[in-house]
């Protein structure tokens, strides 16, 4: 079974600075990994996914994520943070290969300060 | 615009009441899910369904049941609500391609349930 972990509950960053939200995974075989974002009082929205191929994955709203097999990480990044990026971010992966649900990390709250 | 619609955004119920949370998707997705979201605990899977009349338990099914009589509709039922079921409930759907969950879940806005 696959699991994901988000080591930080909260990340604070100044507007215009680069941001990183961390995720590590544990899986046997090739992982499928996802990032989702939740704005206040809303459901989650898909940001990006890694299935196979390039280790740098580009997604919505200028976000990208870097898959690193040796460090078993899939960190979410953005070169220049906006105040509107403030939200709750979730890393996720399927429970196992096949048609199975996603398991989510506990979430990281990102605050971008003007 | 594709959509997952949850019937109620906010509900207040009393302990022991039967509660129905309805979810409808208009994308012809095979998979539908019910998650519960609590601060510090992230999202936890209650039940999921990969086809009409099919259901499987997730991580925390106790105290809940589900119904999927039509492909577009997935209902979560709390037979006898308790205070520890006060939470945000999120419904989601996803497409299946090649027997694999594509992983791109579409979520509803959520139903915030308070049990007094």
């Amino acid at each position: 079974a696959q699991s994901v972990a988000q080591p930080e509950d909260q990340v604070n960053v100044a507007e215009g600075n680069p941001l990183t939200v961390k995720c590590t995974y544990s899986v046997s075989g090739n992982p499928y990994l996802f990032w989702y974002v939740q704005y206040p009082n809303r459901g989650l929205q898909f940001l990006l996914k890694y299935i196979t191929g390039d280790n740098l994955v580009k997604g919505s709203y200028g976000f990208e994520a870097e898959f690193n097999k040796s460090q078993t990480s899939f960190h979410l990044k953005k070169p220049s943070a906006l105040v509107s990026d403030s939200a709750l971010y979730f890393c996720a992966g399927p429970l196992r290969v096949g048609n199975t649900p996603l398991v989510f990390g506990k979430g990281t709250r990102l605050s971008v300060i003007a | 615009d594709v959509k997952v619609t949850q019937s109620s955004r906010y509900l207040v119920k009393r302990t022991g009441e039967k509660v129905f949370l309805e979810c409808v998707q208009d994308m012809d997705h095979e998979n539908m899910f019910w998650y519960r979201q609590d601060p510090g605990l992230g999202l936890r899977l209650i039940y999921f369904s990969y086809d009409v009349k099919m259901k499987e338990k997730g991580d925390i099914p106790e105290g809940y049941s589900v119904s999927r009589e039509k492909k577009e509709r997935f209902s979560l039922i709390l037979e006898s609500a308790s205070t520890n079921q006060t939470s945000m409930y999120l419904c989601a759907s996803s497409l299946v391609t090649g027997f694999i969950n594509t992983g791109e879940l579409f979520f509803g806005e959520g139903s915030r349930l308070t049990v007094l």
Side-chain angles (χ1 to χ4, degrees):
Chain A
Q2 178 166 288
S3 64
V4 295
Q6 295 178 246
E8 300 161 317
D9 293 333
Q10 173 92 32
V11 170
N12 298 318
V13 64
E15 188 176 29
N17 282 2
L19 70 86
T20 298
V21 182
K22 295 179 180 178
C23 173
T24 59
Y25 68 89
S26 171
V27 65
S28 55
N30 294 322
Y32 291 2
L33 295 163
F34 306 83
W35 277 102
Y36 283 79
V37 60
Q38 185 179 36
Y39 297 104
N41 299 313
R42 305 294 296 274
L44 277 70
Q45 296 177 36
F46 169 80
L47 268 183
L48 52 80
K49 68 179 177 183
Y50 172 83
I51 301 294
T52 187
D54 288 341
N55 290 339
L56 188 64
V57 179
K58 294 192 183 297
S60 307
Y61 313 122
F63 283 92
E64 56 190 26
E66 186 174 9
F67 173 72
N68 188 315
K69 190 170 184 178
S70 62
Q71 297 185 4
T72 61
S73 67
F74 187 57
H75 299 335
L76 183 70
K77 301 183 179 187
K78 189 173 183 182
S80 179
L82 300 172
V83 171
S84 57
D85 293 329
S86 298
L88 193 54
Y89 290 82
F90 290 94
C91 181
L95 187 62
R96 51 189 174 272
V97 175
N99 187 20
T100 62
L102 295 189
V103 291
F104 288 81
K106 294 187 177 181
T108 299
R109 186 165 300 281
L110 172 68
S111 292
V112 181
I113 303 156
Chain B
D1 199 16
V2 295
K3 220 169 179 182
V4 176
T5 304
Q6 295 184 229
S7 55
S8 304
R9 290 294 307 274
Y10 300 94
L11 303 94
V12 179
K13 299 291 182 180
R14 297 210 173 270
T15 301
E17 281 192 79
K18 191 169 186 175
V19 181
F20 292 88
L21 299 180
E22 304 284 344
C23 176
V24 178
Q25 52 101 356
D26 65 1
M27 295 164 281
D28 201 35
H29 284 169
E30 293 87 350
N31 290 341
M32 294 190 75
F33 310 88
W34 276 106
Y35 287 90
R36 171 177 169 163
Q37 182 179 11
D38 299 288
L41 297 177
L43 272 71
R44 292 179 292 168
L45 181 68
I46 305 172
Y47 269 97
F48 69 102
S49 170
Y50 51 88
D51 202 350
V52 175
K53 297 192 186 294
M54 305 300 287
K55 61 185 179 184
E56 287 199 25
K57 294 179 180 179
D59 299 321
I60 52 164
E62 296 78 18
Y64 304 94
S65 62
V66 290
S67 172
R68 193 165 181 202
E69 296 296 320
K70 294 185 178 180
K71 189 175 186 180
E72 67 270 19
R73 186 179 298 270
F74 191 36
S75 303
L76 180 69
I77 303 151
L78 288 68
E79 294 289 341
S80 177
S82 63
T83 55
N84 61 13
Q85 292 179 309
T86 292
S87 186
M88 170 71 88
Y89 291 88
L90 294 171
C91 175
S93 71
S94 72
L95 190 62
V96 177
T97 302
F99 302 104
I100 294 176
N101 180 2
T102 59
E104 294 183 40
L105 270 61
F106 292 83
F107 281 85
E109 297 281 287
S111 297
R112 186 167 294 282
L113 172 66
T114 301
V115 183
L116 302 176

